[in-house]
mmCIF file of all heavy atoms in Angstrom:
data_model
loop_
_atom_site.group_PDB
_atom_site.id
_atom_site.type_symbol
_atom_site.label_atom_id
_atom_site.label_comp_id
_atom_site.label_asym_id
_atom_site.label_seq_id
_atom_site.Cartn_x
_atom_site.Cartn_y
_atom_site.Cartn_z
ATOM 1 N N LEU T 352 5.396 15.247 32.471
ATOM 2 C CA LEU T 352 6.887 14.733 32.420
ATOM 3 C C LEU T 352 7.025 13.329 31.851
ATOM 4 O O LEU T 352 6.408 12.564 32.379
ATOM 5 C CB LEU T 352 7.517 14.910 33.923
ATOM 6 C CG LEU T 352 7.486 16.211 34.460
ATOM 7 C CD1 LEU T 352 7.970 16.257 35.989
ATOM 8 C CD2 LEU T 352 8.395 17.175 33.801
ATOM 9 N N ILE T 354 9.504 10.711 31.685
ATOM 10 C CA ILE T 354 10.859 10.502 32.191
ATOM 11 C C ILE T 354 10.976 9.065 31.950
ATOM 12 O O ILE T 354 10.184 8.096 32.426
ATOM 13 C CB ILE T 354 10.909 10.754 33.687
ATOM 14 C CG1 ILE T 354 10.658 12.254 33.986
ATOM 15 C CG2 ILE T 354 12.401 10.301 34.210
ATOM 16 C CD1 ILE T 354 10.565 12.609 35.507
ATOM 17 N N ASP T 360 22.048 2.119 33.782
ATOM 18 C CA ASP T 360 23.177 3.042 33.703
ATOM 19 C C ASP T 360 23.812 3.433 34.911
ATOM 20 O O ASP T 360 24.820 4.247 35.037
ATOM 21 C CB ASP T 360 22.672 4.418 33.080
ATOM 22 C CG ASP T 360 21.699 5.165 34.004
ATOM 23 O OD1 ASP T 360 21.414 4.773 34.971
ATOM 24 O OD2 ASP T 360 21.206 6.208 33.438
ATOM 25 N N LYS T 373 15.908 18.971 36.080
ATOM 26 C CA LYS T 373 16.831 20.021 35.983
ATOM 27 C C LYS T 373 17.052 20.286 34.534
ATOM 28 O O LYS T 373 17.130 21.614 34.155
ATOM 29 C CB LYS T 373 18.159 19.634 36.646
ATOM 30 C CG LYS T 373 19.201 20.645 36.662
ATOM 31 C CD LYS T 373 20.461 20.207 37.296
ATOM 32 C CE LYS T 373 21.595 21.174 37.160
ATOM 33 N NZ LYS T 373 22.852 20.653 37.822
ATOM 34 N N LYS T 374 17.313 19.515 33.709
ATOM 35 C CA LYS T 374 17.565 19.616 32.276
ATOM 36 C C LYS T 374 16.336 20.428 31.594
ATOM 37 O O LYS T 374 16.560 21.413 30.818
ATOM 38 C CB LYS T 374 17.898 18.438 31.649
ATOM 39 C CG LYS T 374 18.298 18.604 30.194
ATOM 40 C CD LYS T 374 18.672 17.240 29.545
ATOM 41 C CE LYS T 374 19.087 17.426 28.079
ATOM 42 N NZ LYS T 374 19.477 16.204 27.396
ATOM 43 N N LEU T 397 5.485 7.007 37.532
ATOM 44 C CA LEU T 397 6.691 6.458 37.288
ATOM 45 C C LEU T 397 6.748 5.056 37.845
ATOM 46 O O LEU T 397 7.842 4.269 37.641
ATOM 47 C CB LEU T 397 7.844 7.333 37.753
ATOM 48 C CG LEU T 397 7.991 8.565 37.094
ATOM 49 C CD1 LEU T 397 9.073 9.382 37.813
ATOM 50 C CD2 LEU T 397 8.366 8.541 35.614
ATOM 51 N N VAL T 399 7.486 4.197 41.066
ATOM 52 C CA VAL T 399 8.568 4.179 42.084
ATOM 53 C C VAL T 399 7.939 4.645 43.383
ATOM 54 O O VAL T 399 6.927 5.140 43.449
ATOM 55 C CB VAL T 399 9.699 5.142 41.655
ATOM 56 C CG1 VAL T 399 10.300 4.675 40.310
ATOM 57 C CG2 VAL T 399 9.339 6.612 41.564
ATOM 58 N N SER T 402 9.171 8.322 48.282
ATOM 59 C CA SER T 402 10.471 8.710 48.821
ATOM 60 C C SER T 402 11.507 9.123 47.718
ATOM 61 O O SER T 402 12.300 9.905 47.756
ATOM 62 C CB SER T 402 10.974 7.972 49.903
ATOM 63 O OG SER T 402 11.328 6.719 49.409
ATOM 64 N N VAL T 404 10.876 10.088 44.585
ATOM 65 C CA VAL T 404 10.501 11.333 44.027
ATOM 66 C C VAL T 404 10.804 12.521 44.929
ATOM 67 O O VAL T 404 11.391 13.549 44.568
ATOM 68 C CB VAL T 404 9.100 11.459 43.568
ATOM 69 C CG1 VAL T 404 8.637 12.800 43.151
ATOM 70 C CG2 VAL T 404 8.795 10.288 42.568
ATOM 71 N N ASP T 409 13.782 17.244 46.599
ATOM 72 C CA ASP T 409 14.587 17.811 47.646
ATOM 73 C C ASP T 409 15.839 18.415 47.169
ATOM 74 O O ASP T 409 16.410 19.551 47.636
ATOM 75 C CB ASP T 409 14.885 16.838 48.829
ATOM 76 C CG ASP T 409 13.586 16.551 49.749
ATOM 77 O OD1 ASP T 409 12.705 17.376 49.744
ATOM 78 O OD2 ASP T 409 13.771 15.607 50.466
ATOM 79 N N LEU T 411 16.427 19.322 43.923
ATOM 80 C CA LEU T 411 16.117 20.509 43.241
ATOM 81 C C LEU T 411 15.782 21.792 44.053
ATOM 82 O O LEU T 411 16.107 22.826 43.661
ATOM 83 C CB LEU T 411 14.847 20.113 42.314
ATOM 84 C CG LEU T 411 15.136 19.217 41.195
ATOM 85 C CD1 LEU T 411 13.880 18.522 40.777
ATOM 86 C CD2 LEU T 411 16.006 19.805 40.086
ATOM 87 N N LEU T 412 15.115 21.564 45.212
ATOM 88 C CA LEU T 412 14.874 22.576 46.046
ATOM 89 C C LEU T 412 16.182 23.092 46.676
ATOM 90 O O LEU T 412 16.326 24.426 46.697
ATOM 91 C CB LEU T 412 14.065 22.112 47.294
ATOM 92 C CG LEU T 412 12.551 22.012 47.197
ATOM 93 C CD1 LEU T 412 11.854 21.109 48.280
ATOM 94 C CD2 LEU T 412 11.896 23.422 47.183
ATOM 95 N N SER T 423 0.128 24.006 48.376
ATOM 96 C CA SER T 423 -0.040 24.109 47.006
ATOM 97 C C SER T 423 0.677 23.213 46.144
ATOM 98 O O SER T 423 0.281 22.759 45.163
ATOM 99 C CB SER T 423 0.116 25.522 46.531
ATOM 100 O OG SER T 423 -0.196 25.794 45.148
ATOM 101 N N VAL T 430 15.186 30.859 37.345
ATOM 102 C CA VAL T 430 16.611 30.464 37.319
ATOM 103 C C VAL T 430 17.419 31.520 36.607
ATOM 104 O O VAL T 430 16.993 32.042 35.560
ATOM 105 C CB VAL T 430 16.788 29.185 36.494
ATOM 106 C CG1 VAL T 430 18.252 28.714 36.492
ATOM 107 C CG2 VAL T 430 15.981 28.120 37.088
ATOM 108 N N LYS T 431 18.363 32.054 37.310
ATOM 109 C CA LYS T 431 19.152 33.080 36.787
ATOM 110 C C LYS T 431 20.118 32.671 35.761
ATOM 111 O O LYS T 431 20.568 31.438 35.776
ATOM 112 C CB LYS T 431 19.978 33.846 38.027
ATOM 113 C CG LYS T 431 19.063 34.476 38.931
ATOM 114 C CD LYS T 431 19.888 35.063 40.030
ATOM 115 C CE LYS T 431 19.026 35.700 41.046
ATOM 116 N NZ LYS T 431 18.352 35.022 42.040
ATOM 117 N N PHE T 432 20.598 33.537 34.867
ATOM 118 C CA PHE T 432 21.449 33.157 33.748
ATOM 119 C C PHE T 432 22.651 32.479 34.245
ATOM 120 O O PHE T 432 23.230 31.596 33.577
ATOM 121 C CB PHE T 432 21.672 34.525 32.838
ATOM 122 C CG PHE T 432 22.526 34.193 31.676
ATOM 123 C CD1 PHE T 432 22.065 33.241 30.598
ATOM 124 C CD2 PHE T 432 23.773 34.649 31.590
ATOM 125 C CE1 PHE T 432 22.797 33.049 29.510
ATOM 126 C CE2 PHE T 432 24.550 34.352 30.508
ATOM 127 C CZ PHE T 432 24.149 33.593 29.474
ATOM 128 N N GLU T 434 23.295 30.756 36.796
ATOM 129 C CA GLU T 434 23.041 29.371 37.214
ATOM 130 C C GLU T 434 23.018 28.427 35.971
ATOM 131 O O GLU T 434 23.532 27.222 35.957
ATOM 132 C CB GLU T 434 21.791 29.245 37.903
ATOM 133 C CG GLU T 434 21.850 30.053 39.307
ATOM 134 C CD GLU T 434 20.463 30.002 39.977
ATOM 135 O OE1 GLU T 434 19.935 28.838 40.021
ATOM 136 O OE2 GLU T 434 20.045 31.010 40.596
ATOM 137 N N TYR T 438 25.443 24.815 34.240
ATOM 138 C CA TYR T 438 24.896 23.525 33.838
ATOM 139 C C TYR T 438 25.754 22.997 32.768
ATOM 140 O O TYR T 438 26.328 21.903 32.680
ATOM 141 C CB TYR T 438 23.464 23.680 33.239
ATOM 142 C CG TYR T 438 22.924 22.362 32.756
ATOM 143 C CD1 TYR T 438 22.333 21.501 33.712
ATOM 144 C CD2 TYR T 438 22.854 22.073 31.471
ATOM 145 C CE1 TYR T 438 21.787 20.335 33.156
ATOM 146 C CE2 TYR T 438 22.260 20.843 30.975
ATOM 147 C CZ TYR T 438 21.738 20.092 31.913
ATOM 148 O OH TYR T 438 21.229 18.877 31.354
#
Side-chain angles (χ1 to χ4, degrees):
L352 297 175
I354 305 171
D360 67 1
K373 178 180 174 180
K374 185 176 180 180
L397 296 174
V399 298
S402 63
V404 175
D409 287 346
L411 291 162
L412 276 166
S423 181
V430 180
K431 296 180 176 81
F432 183 69
E434 295 175 42
Y438 181 80

